[in-house]
Amino acid sequence: MTKLLVRVAATASLFLPIVILDPAAAKTLVFCSEGSPETISPPLAITGTAMDAARPMFNNLVEFRRGSTQLQPALAESWTISDDGLRYTFKLRSNVQFHSNAEFSPTRPLNAADVVFSFTRQWDESHPFHEVGGGRYDYFVDMGMPSLIAGVKALDDRTVEIALTRPEAPFLADLALPFNAVLSEEYAEAMMAAGTPEKLDLEPIGTGAFAFADFSRDVAIRYRAFEGYWRGRQPIDTLVYSITPTPAARLTKLKAGECHISAFPSPNEVETIEADPALRLMTLSGFNIGYLALNTERPPFDDVRVRLAINLAIDRKAILDEIFAGTGLSAKNPLPPSLWAYNDAIEPIPYDPEEARRLLEEVGITDGLETDLWYMPVSRPYNPNGRRMAEMIAADLERLGVRLDLQTADWDVYREKLQNGETTLSLYGWTGDNGDPDNFMHTLLSCTAARKGGNNIARWCDKRFDKLVTAAKTTPLEADRKRLYDEAQAIFREELPWAPIGHSIFMAATRAEVQHFIMDPLGYYQFEGVDIQ
């Protein structure tokens, strides 16, 4: 097989024709990404697309071991937890170097001040960098961090203490999430002094395996291997994210050798990929949920009978058969069935259009109803074809006299509209970030997340549900947490702020010459340690 080695011009992010190089030449790995990220700065990222884009450049105090949800030391080489669960003390790794760029060269390695800066920037509204980047740290807020953290302080150059207001069962796992990545305080101060504080987020400096090179929005992001990486220099020299929104275009590029790894193959492409000896298909049980959110602040969807009617009218089996093509499972809960807190005793939502019609008549909707339905402009594992799913749901509801105006927008605009409460019915989804049910139940459905900019796009705040999922965060024993989550899922089933649709298998496609690429159970694409034969 011809060895594919690609060189991308250093002066541009735009792709040039592939050049076949001598084996000793520099290696470039090209990843066909599914969308253009809203940011490449971890604390500002809210979508998986943006988290994937930020991840090559940064590290956290703790991280998940590649290919698992098992925590391992990262920038913190060790830690201790007080007996009351309220103080976490981290000993930092020595001699961890930061990247440099044309305007900044670090004068020191990572120290405790960088960790304090990274947390207090998000937590303390009076911090000089809190408003830089827009002052919105949506993921930090949705995870309940503002009320959880009591303080962050440096005990010495290599020791950091994080104090909590309450015990938090998933706290260590939360520290492994992208929004808790460690940034350089020295870089922030240098950019503030230069009058360009925004460069902290636009031209990031981290400690990760790859340093930022350039970003051409909607086209590509380019990174270079960091020579001083604390885990060792990477096998590849340049990493490129080729932004390619449609699955068909990604597959075309993969087959042509224009990318080496492709995000989210469409289910109907599985046979094509498996039949091509130059390609490899990788699969993993999905840790996700795809759903239709109903804005409970907008009548008539503030009435649970209307929400139940919408749920009963959707033919999930038809959607799974056509759109997921054997790669999905019907959903009934907000949690995926692979998670230990999943309540399998919950009754599935049947397909019953006659009962749906009766419920609408009961609430007085006899002359039909018109509203908007927003569908995702990008493919994700939990929704491989947003447009087609919207069309099928519209056809189901039209039989009840519910007429839907199908709308979409660019991915970053789409996300903002949903999170700002500007839509009525919206297709969305989630892939778990930390292996804990809190990341679904509280992050997506708590009252905290029902604010403007939050991830609770149904704008649903049920005090009974909120009390249970908040208590589950502070309960140490898994069996006790399971009982709380079981009860919360029962309330979700009664109130139905979503129409749960499906859980998918997580897939990736690679060229055969790619080595050491490992599927991430949390649905990310990671390139540390990846090589090209």
Side-chain angles (χ1 to χ4, degrees), residues 4 18 250-259 279 511:
L4 265 163
I18 288 179
R250 293 196 294 273
L251 180 58
T252 298
K253 287 185 176 182
L254 190 71
K255 290 170 71 69
E258 295 178 24
C259 63
L279 307 181
R511 290 195 60 83

Side-chain angles (χ1 to χ4, degrees), residues 413-435:
V413 176
Y414 183 87
R415 176 188 59 82
E416 287 182 7
K417 284 184 175 293
L418 269 58
Q419 292 179 311
N420 290 338
E422 298 174 22
T423 63
T424 308
L425 304 182
S426 313
L427 288 171
Y428 210 46
W430 190 258
T431 298
D433 291 320
N434 65 358

Side-chain angles (χ1 to χ4, degrees), residues 7 29 77 116 125 129 187 258 281 285 379 451 487 515 520:
R7 188 187 298 278
L29 177 72
E77 62 183 14
V116 174
E125 293 183 3
F129 265 85
Y187 179 52
E258 295 178 24
L281 181 71
S285 295
S379 63
R451 61 188 173 81
E487 189 175 344
Q515 297 180 318
D520 187 329

